Amino acid sequence: MKLIIAAIKPFKLEEVREALTTIGVRGMMVTEIKGFGSQSGHTEIYRGAEYAVNFVPKVKLEIVVSEGLADQVVETIQTTAKTDKIGDGKIFVLDVASAVRVRTGETNEDAL
């Protein structure tokens, strides 16, 4: 099993969710986050005063899938979340040692 963590632009969330559902992803966790990378924040003007926004709003997706589906999930997120502008996000893939469904006690891939 693989844990896929993706940080994407918030306005791309629904489009990415729909694309992942289409390829068979049955669940994900979503968290609103702030961060910075290459774009290193930006400046904005509010009520006539300029101020620095050092952290940019993003959405973090956490998805656990079988190893066979992982590459397709990564490719789907990459193509769907892409805007060709700086700050499109990052995707990380990690190994998952075990999973348990709380309600039934099913383990590993049966728990997904």
Side-chain angles (χ1 to χ4, degrees):
M1 293 177 299
K2 297 289 184 180
L3 168 61
I4 299 164
I5 301 171
I8 63 171
K9 292 183 175 182
F11 69 89
K12 285 292 199 170
L13 175 60
E14 190 57 30
E15 188 178 344
V16 169
R17 186 199 61 77
E18 288 175 6
L20 290 173
T21 301
T22 300
I23 66 165
V25 172
R26 294 177 35 209
M28 72 175 74
M29 294 175 279
V30 178
T31 310
E32 292 180 8
I33 61 170
K34 292 180 182 182
F36 73 93
S38 300
Q39 70 190 122
S40 300
H42 59 281
T43 58
E44 290 185 2
I45 297 176
Y46 178 71
R47 294 190 176 180
E50 187 174 304
Y51 66 98
V53 178
N54 294 320
F55 294 99
V56 180
K58 300 283 185 193
V59 174
K60 179 172 77 169
L61 309 177
E62 295 174 275
I63 306 160
V64 179
V65 294
S66 64
E67 197 160 334
L69 189 57
D71 289 340
Q72 189 178 7
V73 169
V74 169
E75 184 179 327
T76 300
I77 294 169
Q78 185 177 2
T79 57
T80 310
K82 184 176 181 178
T83 66
D84 286 323
K85 293 186 172 59
I86 194 165
D88 275 351
K90 295 272 192 304
I91 302 171
F92 305 98
V93 181
L94 293 81
D95 290 322
V96 174
S98 66
V100 178
R101 185 184 308 265
V102 173
R103 179 177 53 87
T104 63
E106 294 169 294
T107 60
N108 300 325
E109 292 199 18
D110 292 336
L112 301 180

